[in-house]
Amino acid sequence: MSTTKLLYFQDAYQKSATAKVLEVVRDGTQTALILDQTIFYAQGGGQPADWGSIMGEKSAFSVTHVSYNGGAVLHKGTLSGEIEAGEEVTLEINWRRRYQHMQQHTAGHIIDQAVKNVVLGAQSVDGNHGIGKQLFVEFSTPLHTDLIPQIQSAIDHIRAANLPITSEMVSYEQLIERQIKLPFDLPQNKELRIVQIGEYPPMPDGGTQLLSTGEAWPIMVTDIVEKDGKWRVIHTVAEEVSSVAKNQTKIEEASSVQPSDQLNALLQNIEHMKAEFLKDNAQPEKLQSKYLGKKGVFNQLAQTLKDIQPQEKKLAGQYINELKTSLETAIAAAQTQHVATQAWVDLTVPGKKPAVGHMHPVSQAMEEITHIFEQIGFTRVRYPEVDWDHYVFEALNMPPNHPARDEWETFFVDVPANQAFGKVVLTTHTSNGQVREMERLHSQPPMRMINISRCYRRQQDATHTQMFHQFEGLVVDKGITIQHLKGTLNYFAEQFYGPGTKSRIRPFHFQFTEPSFEVDFSCHICQGTGQVTHDGETTKCRFCKSGWHEVGGAGMVHPNVLKAGGIDPEKYTGFAFGWGIERTYTLKEGLNIDDIRLLYSGDLRFLEQF
Ligand code: PHE
């Protein structure tokens, strides 16, 4: 019988060709043409036959099936007109159909490799790349649906790596010589076509393949099912509309890639290691350190990455990563299996309690302070911690260049100033909330606010951090006096530090209050006496030295501040107080924190104590 030259083995992208008719075989109404060469793919290897047309001088032949018969390709279909042996004909294949089949076929090979990368030693035995509906690659190695995410990512890797797909015809001797292992026996007297993805081990193949994995359409593994003791990786292949242009450039890049000797050596070493691993019958618990330990085989191999040329580094790194993942999976699997068969598990042992953190001590203090003031009708508000000079200083009776501003070691933000509101600063105190609160309430007292926020000053030592917190109280109403301030301070002292704690106010100066005070709380160690008696001996209290702890400032709201907030100082009065949360908190009984910077050290040994 005649033989047909298979043009698609040289160029899978050839869409039309000319050929000579060798034989016209008639069988009833059916006609089959045998040509000297063809671009029509003959069904086989899981890939369906091509369709298309063969045009003669006085005939048109529509091809609906193509099969292979001992070296000859039979083009079957319906003929109109006359055709004779020896005639020149023009062939054209249905390219859409063919290209789809190429995609599906290459997808099968990519999945095959991906599964082998995930499950070392996996053996594929069959596949369906388009005949019938369901696409699958079949393995004789047990696979579980749990592996789908890993297989999927291995597939995506191979696609993303845009590996060249090459094919060649080799003799049986060459196979042996090149140590190419085949999954099944093949006739020894024929040339064999092998296909290779990147530098992965070649596979025998008779189908049409894409030029590179980057050209492959997205592949989705949808299921893994067992059938007659074999495992099918079921998948779909679908075109990504926007990828057409992108793939074109990838094809061009891919055809110029030739792996270097170093990369080839690396790949050989990887394969070698996989083979060694499979033969290894070390105890599962030893595998981890032997292969993946610091001085393990894997790390030694990874060292050789530095010898790889820069342009191949990415690819090489990917191979190495894939090797690592497959080793990890294989070792984990070996160990679970080991545990399952060896270890006795007591299912009644209570589970391990996951570590749960707790709120930072400063947050705890903020909640407590908020709660204490809410009890007497204050409302917690929040105002910006990056604010205009206007609210931080000017509206608080501190015009620009006023010397009182110097007390607040201010951080300025390097942005243009606003005409009406001035520069932007990191708030140096929570008093910026005073006029903002008056504005929020449309200058309509009564108002009782508690404003808690971060503050910033250029100071850092054992009692100062550049970022800290303050809380600010403001009460404005008719007939508010120092008595109300004093009562509020005493209430807070007892609630926060415990019964019996007293407050004390001493004259001071702030621009935004008149009169102004400094606020102290009585020391809980010496009850405000400044002295402790121990074994009949009386000494100075080391904690406070004077009986009192100074915590912050307070005063009656300055008329100018009320005016800045649109409130008539003739009708209304108010008091305000404000001080640092860190300082207030660290004075609590039993805390004994002598360096407030510890609060922000992030040291869990410290923080876990609160
Ligand atoms: N804002 C002042 C400071 O940071 C404290 C204070 C608040 C004083 C309210 C009086 C009234 O030091």
Side-chain angles (χ1 to χ4, degrees):
M1 215 195 209
S2 337
T3 51
T4 312
K5 187 173 173 202
L6 307 176
L7 295 174
Y8 53 77
F9 270 1
Q10 288 157 21
D11 179 6
Y13 291 76
Q14 195 175 343
K15 301 170 186 77
S16 58
T18 54
K20 206 166 89 183
V21 180
L22 297 181
E23 273 180 63
V24 182
V25 188
R26 291 202 171 81
D27 178 15
T29 52
Q30 275 273 324
T31 309
L33 302 182
I34 301 174
L35 312 173
D36 65 338
Q37 56 179 14
T38 190
I39 49 173
F40 280 86
Y41 182 76
Q43 180 155 321
Q47 179 175 330
D50 281 332
W51 296 343
S53 61
I54 298 176
M55 308 296 277
E57 219 157 284
K58 291 172 279 168
S59 64
F61 188 76
S62 142
V63 181
T64 52
H65 194 70
V66 188
S67 62
Y68 197 72
N69 187 358
V73 173
L74 293 168
H75 303 78
K76 298 174 188 167
T78 36
L79 173 74
S80 33
E82 291 296 318
I83 197 158
E84 274 168 43
E87 215 181 289
E88 277 270 314
V89 285
T90 316
L91 323 179
E92 189 162 329
I93 56 169
N94 178 329
W95 175 247
R96 269 196 68 78
R97 177 179 157 89
R98 153 66 83 73
Y99 190 62
Q100 171 130 23
H101 292 153
M102 276 164 67
Q103 283 285 351
Q104 290 166 347
H105 196 119
T106 298
H109 282 252
I110 293 177
I111 291 175
D112 179 35
Q113 191 55 52
V115 170
K116 287 172 180 168
N117 286 352
V118 173
V119 182
L120 283 181
Q123 198 56 260
S124 54
V125 286
D126 200 2
N128 181 5
H129 313 306
I131 304 162
K133 289 222 177 67
Q134 203 173 54
L135 306 178
F136 63 82
V137 183
E138 194 169 70
F139 294 82
S140 58
T141 316
L143 299 174
H144 192 270
T145 45
D146 286 354
L147 293 168
I148 294 178
Q150 272 172 278
I151 296 175
Q152 183 66 52
S153 101
I155 291 171
D156 298 342
H157 255 86
I158 296 176
R159 285 182 58 229
N162 193 20
L163 306 173
I165 302 172
T166 49
S167 64
E168 61 184 311
M169 304 298 296
V170 288
S171 67
Y172 193 80
E173 289 78 53
Q174 283 171 308
L175 278 186
I176 303 292
E177 203 179 303
R178 287 169 54 181
Q179 299 184 330
I180 297 172
K181 283 192 225 106
L182 297 176
F184 36 79
D185 290 333
L186 285 157
Q188 303 190 6
N189 56 352
K190 273 209 307 197
E191 283 243 295
L192 182 76
R193 181 168 178 265
I194 54 169
V195 165
Q196 188 167 19
I197 296 184
E199 286 298 320
Y200 285 119
M203 291 286 292
D205 178 69
T208 54
Q209 300 277 4
L210 303 175
L211 277 173
S212 74
T213 60
E215 191 187 340
W217 292 342
I219 304 161
M220 278 269 295
V221 175
T222 53
D223 204 1
I224 294 181
V225 294
E226 193 198 332
K227 197 163 186 287
D228 307 328
K230 303 211 174 85
W231 286 263
R232 288 183 170 181
V233 176
I234 298 171
H235 59 274
T236 59
V237 175
E239 180 171 15
E240 199 175 39
V241 186
S242 64
S243 68
V244 180
K246 194 175 79 196
N247 284 335
Q248 199 50 47
T249 50
K250 281 190 180 171
I251 297 170
E252 281 150 19
E253 282 169 17
S255 32
S256 62
V257 173
Q258 264 310 327
S260 68
D261 289 351
Q262 289 95 321
L263 189 63
N264 280 330
L266 177 72
L267 283 158
Q268 270 174 19
N269 288 336
I270 289 179
E271 290 314 312
H272 179 72
M273 188 185 304
K274 287 185 187 174
E276 288 295 298
F277 179 84
L278 290 174
K279 280 189 284 179
D280 202 331
N281 38 31
Q283 290 285 319
E285 64 269 20
K286 299 237 170 82
L287 291 174
Q288 178 72 26
S289 60
K290 179 166 174 190
Y291 287 87
L292 294 174
K294 234 183 178 166
K295 292 193 181 126
V297 200
F298 174 80
N299 270 354
Q300 282 171 27
L301 180 68
Q303 293 283 319
T304 62
L305 252 187
K306 63 179 186 316
D307 306 328
I308 301 286
Q309 290 158 18
Q311 68 272 25
E312 287 178 336
K313 275 247 157 76
K314 197 171 154 201
L315 194 57
Q318 194 154 358
Y319 292 143
I320 292 260
N321 278 338
E322 278 164 3
L323 172 68
K324 189 167 187 190
T325 320
S326 48
L327 284 173
E328 280 166 353
T329 326
I331 291 173
Q335 284 170 346
T336 347
Q337 196 154 20
H338 188 65
V339 169
T341 51
Q342 308 267 314
W344 178 83
V345 180
D346 183 355
L347 293 175
T348 64
V349 170
K352 274 196 190 134
K353 214 173 167 190
V356 196
H358 63 68
M359 275 201 296
H360 190 276
V362 171
S363 301
Q364 290 179 34
M366 273 156 53
E367 293 236 317
E368 192 181 344
I369 292 165
T370 307
H371 179 74
I372 290 173
F373 283 104
E374 276 173 355
Q375 296 286 306
I376 53 168
F378 283 65
T379 304
R380 162 101 195 255
V381 294
R382 289 154 201 266
Y383 288 116
E385 61 187 70
V386 181
D387 206 351
W388 302 107
D389 179 295
H390 173 80
Y391 290 107
V392 179
F393 295 120
E394 184 134 24
L396 296 177
N397 202 26
M398 283 184 276
N401 304 323
H402 194 284
R405 287 177 169 226
D406 293 351
E407 285 163 40
W408 285 272
E409 308 256 347
T410 313
F411 285 111
F412 290 88
V413 180
D414 190 9
V415 293
N418 177 286
Q419 267 212 322
F421 292 99
K423 291 183 180 166
V424 176
V425 302
L426 302 188
T427 50
T428 54
H429 55 181
T430 42
S431 301
N432 69 316
Q434 292 192 14
V435 170
R436 280 190 173 273
E437 177 71 354
M438 296 175 197
E439 287 176 355
R440 181 179 77 92
L441 297 176
H442 308 287
S443 315
Q444 301 290 312
M447 38 192 79
R448 279 189 292 263
M449 79 152 193
I450 190 84
N451 174 31
I452 306 185
S453 173
R454 290 193 186 90
C455 299
Y456 305 84
R457 290 186 202 176
R458 289 185 289 109
Q459 275 185 341
Q460 181 109 315
D461 55 41
T463 52
H464 297 91
T465 49
Q466 289 175 333
M467 186 283 298
F468 61 103
H469 297 77
Q470 277 195 347
F471 65 103
E472 180 100 2
L474 172 74
V475 172
V476 182
D477 205 349
K478 282 191 175 130
I480 295 293
T481 68
I482 295 177
Q483 298 294 338
H484 296 108
L485 168 64
K486 190 69 172 95
T488 307
L489 296 176
N490 274 338
Y491 162 78
F492 176 77
E494 293 229 334
Q495 295 289 314
F496 194 75
Y497 292 112
T501 314
K502 292 183 204 51
S503 74
R504 181 173 85 170
I505 53 177
R506 289 178 285 109
F508 199 68
H509 172 79
F510 292 108
Q511 277 296 113
F512 37 94
T513 44
E514 183 56 40
S516 301
F517 310 103
E518 267 196 326
V519 180
D520 301 341
F521 289 124
S522 61
C523 175
H524 58 81
I525 305 267
C526 63
Q527 266 75 41
T529 61
Q531 291 177 336
V532 280
T533 310
H534 197 66
D535 286 342
E537 205 187 318
T538 301
T539 51
K540 206 171 181 182
C541 174
R542 279 191 297 156
F543 193 50
C544 63
K545 298 186 181 82
S546 64
W548 297 89
H549 295 289
E550 189 241 303
V551 290
M556 299 307 291
V557 181
H558 195 287
N560 286 351
V561 177
L562 290 171
K563 277 191 220 153
I567 295 174
D568 181 357
E570 298 298 325
K571 279 203 209 148
Y572 295 100
T573 51
F575 69 78
F577 58 85
W579 57 92
I581 293 192
E582 288 81 353
R583 165 118 178 110
T584 310
Y585 179 70
T586 50
L587 289 176
K588 261 199 174 205
E589 181 164 7
L591 285 190
N592 223 345
I593 301 170
D594 48 14
D595 188 340
I596 73 163
R597 290 172 296 189
L598 277 171
L599 287 168
Y600 298 111
S601 63
D603 188 337
L604 287 179
R605 290 168 305 176
F606 172 78
L607 293 175
E608 273 168 358
Q609 301 173 51
F610 303 95

